[in-house]
């Protein structure tokens, strides 16, 4: 709001139900305090500093109950979040509405791979009943070391957010009949999906890290996916790297130019940190390196995505890059603007099939190769 970016209009939100900045930070602070308090109580019970009239394994369940209670108290907010998430998840059966909000949320989901795996692990522990046992051996056997969980569930959970964005771009192409940027963006997620599947499957099958073909394939695809995503961030999502404007763009809503050059460098660093999160444990030369850094790398990626979101919204405010339902200037708050509905390009069925075949053919080949090398022992 300070920089006059009309996120309410861009996200097509109801102004009557949009929380203020103070309310958002208050909710985030309260949630953080609850999580840290729960963690502290759990740790103190394990150390014997607190009386064990509540088993330590039951303490995390209190956090789940608290979360459900918060959702019921803030029912309107919970329903709104649920509807948006449903629009993204319903892409599994090729349904769901694609607009700037759902695309933005799906992009955020792609940065939450570690979070989704942890949530899947939590559900595994919850529904197997292993959390009621004092020993952690049963939990490790049923979840962390379970072949089905490692080889199937983790792979699916890691790949699904990328699949959602891929399908969203295909649906946008079908609506607007424009190969660029939609099919080009779809290929970006195909490459990322191939890397994700390859890394997850290779880690699950405990392949030989000394295999030259594996090492070459891993380096090639991780670098390609990272550079592809980084270039797209800067040039398309942020609208920067304009040669006529000193490597930035004509209008900068956040003021100082050094801010933009700084975030360009930070985004490159954050994108390459993504490679480490995908690196299979058995192929890392440093023992326990992924386990020790995983929480920090996950937090770094979420911070990078939050930074990306600010400049993504700025670019969307200035340019209708997300192809909202209406094109035209973004109005200031409480203003009304005249809009013209976006019209799709007219193409024959043969033209559409030819353009889609490029993504389907190349994408299918990349994913098939990644699965082959990922399962190769």
């Amino acid at each position: 709001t300070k920089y006059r970016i009309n996120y309410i209009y861009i996200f097509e939100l109801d102004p009557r139900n949009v929380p203020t900045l103070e309310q958002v930070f208050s909710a985030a602070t309260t949630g953080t305090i609850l999580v840290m308090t729960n963690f502290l109580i759990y740790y103190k019970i394990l150390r014997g500093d607190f009386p064990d009239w509540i088993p330590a394994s039951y303490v995390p369940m209190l956090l789940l109950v608290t979360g459900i209670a918060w959702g019921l108290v803030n029912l309107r907010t919970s329903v709104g979040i649920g509807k948006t998430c449903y629009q993204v998840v319903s892409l599994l059966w090729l349904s769901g509405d694609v607009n700037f909000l759902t695309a933005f949320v799906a992009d955020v989901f792609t940065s939450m791979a570690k979070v989704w795996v942890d949530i899947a692990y939590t559900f595994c522990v919850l529904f197997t009943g292993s959390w009621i046992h004092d020993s952690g051996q049963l939990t490790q056997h049923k979840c962390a070391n379970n072949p089905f969980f490692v080889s199937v569930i983790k792979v699916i959970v890691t790949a699904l957010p990328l699949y959602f964005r891929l399908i969203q771009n295909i649906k946008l192409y079908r609506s607007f009949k424009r190969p660029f940027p939609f099919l080009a963006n779809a290929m970006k997620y195909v490459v990322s999906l191939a890397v994700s599947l390859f890394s997850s499957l290779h880690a699950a099958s405990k392949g030989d890290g000394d295999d030259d073909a594996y090492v070459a394939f891993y380096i090639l695809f991780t670098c390609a996916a990272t550079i592809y995503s980084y270039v797209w961030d800067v040039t398309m999502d942020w609208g920067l790297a304009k040669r006529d404007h000193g490597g930035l763009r004509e209008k900068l809503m956040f003021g100082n130019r050094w801010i933009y050059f700084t975030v360009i460098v930070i985004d490159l660093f954050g994108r390459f940190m993504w490679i480490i999160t995908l690196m299979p444990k058995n192929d890392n030369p440093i023992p326990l390196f992924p386990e020790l850094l995983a929480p920090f790398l996950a937090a770094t990626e979420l911070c990078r995505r939050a930074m990306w979101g600010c400049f993504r919204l700025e670019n969307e405010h200035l340019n209708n890059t997300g192809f909202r339902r209406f094109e035209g200037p973004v109005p200031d708050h409480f203003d009304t603007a005249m809009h013209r509905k976006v019209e799709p390009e007219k193409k024959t069925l043969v033209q559409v099939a030819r353009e889609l075949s490029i993504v389907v053919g190349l994408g299918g080949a990349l994913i098939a190769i990644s699965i082959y090398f990922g399962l190769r022992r």
Side-chain angles (χ1 to χ4, degrees), residues 34-35 37-39 41-42 45 50 53-70 122 126 131:
L34 289 175
V35 171
T37 302
N38 187 275
F39 176 80
I41 294 174
Y42 178 80
I45 292 178
F50 281 4
W53 53 274
I54 296 181
S57 58
Y58 282 70
V59 174
M61 295 302 298
L62 297 177
L63 187 61
L64 178 61
V65 173
T66 304
I68 295 174
W70 182 90
T122 301
L126 177 64
W131 58 276

Side-chain angles (χ1 to χ4, degrees), residues 117 120-121 147-158:
V117 171
Y121 180 80
F148 179 77
F149 182 82
V150 174
S151 304
V152 179
I153 301 300
K154 287 182 67 175
V155 174
I156 292 176
V157 168
T158 303

